[in-house]
Amino acid sequence: MGISMIWAMDRNQVIGKDNALPWRLPNDMKHFIAETRGKTVVMGRKTFESIGSPLPKRRNLVLTRNLEWKAEGVETVHDFTDVVKMAEHEVIMIIGGSEVYRLALPYADKLIVTYIDHEFEGTDYFPEVDWNEWTPVSEREGILDEQNTYPHRFVTYQRHA
């Protein structure tokens, strides 16, 4: 089935600030929901704690080194190789944060990126990607309006076979 990664980032690969998004972009939230609904999402503990509760209509897995950590409504995973095994039978969506993206990148076969054409202050960055390994398969511009004030575009990539 496979491992997909989904994230939004600014011009400098900022993906977060102090465990939160540094922007408000409802179009990206709608895109995220549409891409992840009905799938298994994998996130790190800090990302889960920043969200505050399991994402509805998804199987929620939290990757943590802490063997004692538990939260209602989520499954805990302690080793990324378990996630890789699950991807043989279902679509896995990696949703953050930086460390989980870094672990998942070598195994991913699809990247779903929202590029925000703006520079934000941030503390969390997406790891370096060798874009020579990827082919864009779809791209669309985000619509600007009073709620979505930053230019943005949605691009999906497939890893070369």
Side-chain angles (χ1 to χ4, degrees):
M1 298 301 262
I3 294 179
S4 298
M5 298 171 62
I6 186 167
W7 76 95
M9 67 181 177
D10 81 348
R11 292 179 194 147
N12 298 317
Q13 293 181 229
V14 168
I15 60 171
K17 181 178 182 196
D18 301 324
N19 213 24
L21 294 176
W23 52 75
R24 185 177 178 288
L25 196 60
N27 284 346
D28 181 53
M29 284 291 113
K30 288 178 191 160
H31 175 69
F32 175 86
I33 291 166
E35 290 288 341
T36 62
R37 180 175 280 138
K39 297 180 179 134
T40 297
V41 293
V42 176
M43 68 198 94
R45 178 193 49 80
K46 288 182 199 173
T47 298
F48 173 75
E49 289 174 352
S50 74
I51 296 169
S53 63
L55 296 174
K57 298 185 175 143
R58 297 159 190 86
R59 179 181 179 198
N60 288 254
L61 302 179
V62 175
L63 184 63
T64 178
R65 291 180 202 97
N66 182 344
L67 301 178
E68 305 298 315
W69 189 89
K70 290 185 179 2
E72 191 171 322
V74 302
E75 298 170 56
T76 307
V77 181
H78 303 290
D79 189 332
F80 194 76
T81 58
D82 293 334
V83 174
V84 173
K85 289 175 192 163
M86 287 178 206
E88 294 172 8
H89 308 288
E90 60 187 293
V91 175
I92 302 291
M93 300 290 291
I94 306 296
I95 66 168
S98 296
E99 179 66 14
V100 177
Y101 286 133
R102 187 188 64 71
L103 287 170
L105 191 56
Y107 302 97
D109 44 36
K110 185 177 184 183
L111 306 178
I112 304 164
V113 187
T114 302
Y115 292 100
I116 303 170
D117 190 15
H118 193 82
E119 293 181 14
F120 295 90
E121 283 189 35
T123 54
D124 304 299
Y125 295 82
F126 198 83
E128 288 299 318
V129 175
D130 181 354
W131 292 106
N132 294 318
E133 297 178 10
W134 300 91
T135 301
V137 293
S138 71
E139 182 171 349
R140 69 181 168 84
E141 291 294 321
I143 296 169
L144 293 176
D145 58 26
E146 57 282 342
Q147 298 289 314
N148 296 276
T149 57
Y150 303 110
H152 57 286
R153 62 192 168 93
F154 307 102
V155 183
T156 300
Y157 300 86
Q158 286 290 146
R159 189 183 293 273
H160 300 305

